[in-house]
Amino acid sequence: MSEQEYTAPPTPIQHDPRVNRPSICGADEVEPPYPIYMKGPVQHGFKRGSKDLGCPTANLPDEAISEYTKLLQTGVHFGYARVVLGPGEGESDQVLPMVMSLGWNPYYKNEKRTAEVHVLHDFGKDFYGKELRIVMLGFIRPEYNYTSLESLINDIETDKAVARRSVERPAYQKFLKDPFFQ
Ligand code: ADP
Ligand code: RBF
Ligand code: MG
């Protein structure tokens, strides 16, 4: 399918908060269009992730955003990530679960498509400029336009838990050893 043939669906308003979300996403096997690989040096953004959301997101450069993502629904995806830190920083330089927001961030009225990765690990410091490698393995939910910051934060907390559980399955764990990360 070409980009011309494809019209992205409109951004839905957040889901009904009274309805429980699934605790695991994706099939038992990794299904197309996944896996999707991206890599690039971590960019500076608007610094809202840590400050407003309590959830830092490492921003990928525009050039690193895979062509495939234009055909994907914007929203939250899960997979694995590695921040290439080099020798002496072994503890944090490993392949780790990640949750990723791909979209236009309607809550913040951003005008550009962004790919932001939250690595499920406590780095204890920033890593701007370092190479970030990721593999997207599944879809969690569409991007929503939130009516409050609190409900966005609640959903992000659920996204993190869902991502952790979703990559724990054997077909997903295989990607820990993917040559792309070596
Ligand atoms: P920005 O708008 O510049 O992306 P954020 O507030 O989103 O700022 O913070 C992102 C930065 O925080 C990342 O670029 C990275 O250097 C750092 N960081 C620290 N821990 C993490 C983590 N677990 N996941 C993602 N980024 C992290
Ligand atoms: N922003 C939105 O406007 N709608 C969303 O549904 C949304 N989901 C997110 C999910 C995750 C896991 C993360 C880390 C961020 C999400 N954000 C969302 C993006 C958030 O607005 C973004 O991180 C800030 O703009 C800070 O850069
Ligand atoms: Mg960020």
Side-chain angles (χ1 to χ4, degrees):
M1 181 168 46
S2 78
E3 242 187 286
Q4 288 82 36
E5 293 166 54
Y6 179 78
T7 315
T11 305
I13 302 296
Q14 69 189 79
H15 67 95
D16 183 339
R18 292 164 300 188
V19 179
N20 280 339
R21 292 179 43 190
S23 62
I24 194 158
C25 288
D28 285 345
E29 298 298 319
V30 177
E31 290 181 330
Y34 307 102
I36 298 173
Y37 297 88
M38 301 186 211
K39 67 172 179 183
V42 175
Q43 309 286 295
H44 285 272
F46 296 109
K47 307 284 176 298
R48 288 186 299 232
S50 326
K51 233 181 24 239
D52 293 359
L53 306 172
C55 179
T57 58
N59 298 26
L60 279 165
D62 294 347
E63 316 81 71
I65 303 179
S66 159
E67 285 298 302
Y68 282 115
T69 64
K70 295 187 181 142
L71 302 173
L72 284 180
Q73 197 180 9
T74 56
V76 184
H77 303 254
F78 66 87
Y80 286 112
R82 177 185 169 200
V83 182
V84 183
L85 293 169
E89 295 176 282
E91 153 49 25
S92 293
D93 188 343
Q94 35 169 316
V95 185
L96 298 156
M98 66 86 176
V99 64
M100 174 175 179
S101 165
L102 176 76
W104 302 93
N105 302 327
Y107 182 82
Y108 286 107
K109 305 198 166 42
N110 278 4
E111 278 159 16
K112 247 173 49 174
R113 187 191 292 256
T114 57
E116 303 184 24
V117 178
H118 176 69
V119 187
L120 296 166
H121 176 77
D122 183 3
F123 286 83
K125 60 174 179 187
D126 287 345
F127 46 82
Y128 289 108
K130 302 287 183 191
E131 185 177 282
L132 172 67
R133 298 183 193 170
I134 64 146
V135 58
M136 296 164 79
L137 297 174
F139 183 75
I140 298 183
R141 64 169 175 91
E143 179 178 50
Y144 296 125
N145 199 352
Y146 286 87
T147 52
S148 76
L149 184 61
E150 191 198 0
S151 44
L152 171 57
I153 292 172
N154 269 333
D155 262 359
I156 290 176
E157 287 308 310
T158 305
D159 296 332
K160 290 190 208 172
V162 171
R164 258 185 215 290
R165 279 190 290 264
S166 298
V167 295
E168 262 169 22
R169 292 168 291 182
Y172 292 80
Q173 282 180 322
K174 277 185 198 153
F175 287 85
L176 286 167
K177 301 232 179 327
D178 193 299
F180 177 72
F181 287 120
Q182 298 323 308

